[in-house]
Amino acid sequence: FHLAVPVDDLDLARHFYGEVLGLEQGRSSDTWIDWNLHGHQFVTHLAPGRSEGIHNPVDGHDVPVPHFGLLLTVTGFHELADRLRAAGTTFVIEPYLRFEGLPGEQWTMFLRDPAGNALEFKAFADDDQVFAV
């Protein structure tokens, strides 16, 4: 996929996505930076000013909307959670096992980048559960 998100400071975006998340940086200009988000083209565009966020209740948590992220392996999920903790990340929703014992059981965590964009990373022990009902 290709996704572009607004950020209000490209230097903070460069640090967060490049250093904290460890993404490879691609092309860039004075107003945008391309990132390799696990093989997907992700772009941070300089766009000062943000609208108020919306939340929806899911599994007892207020999930920020909109949000984006990736499906990782369970091992990759825990490695990223450890990396984020080591970087001093404040989580919107701490890493935890959601829907335990139910269809769609998954590890999930939510955080915000320095511009306030909400990210969710999740992992399913069984990939057949991604679209389970």
Side-chain angles (χ1 to χ4, degrees):
F1 68 83
H2 165 80
L3 176 66
V5 299
V7 298
D8 55 8
D9 185 317
L10 284 177
D11 289 333
L12 286 175
R14 185 175 283 109
H15 173 75
F16 179 77
Y17 288 102
E19 301 300 321
V20 176
L21 291 184
L23 303 184
E24 178 185 348
Q25 182 179 320
R27 297 173 301 129
S28 67
S29 80
D30 293 342
T31 59
W32 55 268
I33 304 170
D34 277 348
W35 300 98
N36 180 348
L37 185 64
H38 293 254
H40 304 284
Q41 186 187 36
F42 173 69
V43 186
T44 49
H45 281 274
L46 186 59
R50 308 245 352 124
S51 61
E52 186 176 326
I54 300 168
H55 294 84
N56 282 331
V58 178
D59 192 37
H61 293 275
D62 287 329
V63 170
V65 177
H67 65 263
F68 68 95
L70 288 174
L71 299 180
L72 304 170
T73 64
V74 171
T75 299
F77 175 90
H78 291 292
E79 288 171 352
L80 179 59
D82 290 344
R83 179 183 187 128
L84 291 166
R85 285 185 187 106
T89 300
T90 300
F91 291 95
V92 174
I93 299 174
E94 292 278 341
Y96 82 104
L97 186 61
R98 174 194 282 170
F99 309 132
E100 189 170 4
L102 300 172
E105 179 179 291
Q106 61 194 262
W107 286 96
T108 187
M109 61 179 147
F110 284 83
L111 56 134
R112 291 192 183 275
D113 74 4
N117 295 301
L119 292 83
E120 177 185 19
F121 295 96
K122 58 172 69 178
F124 294 80
D126 178 359
D127 286 342
D128 289 337
Q129 291 295 300
V130 173
F131 298 106
V133 293

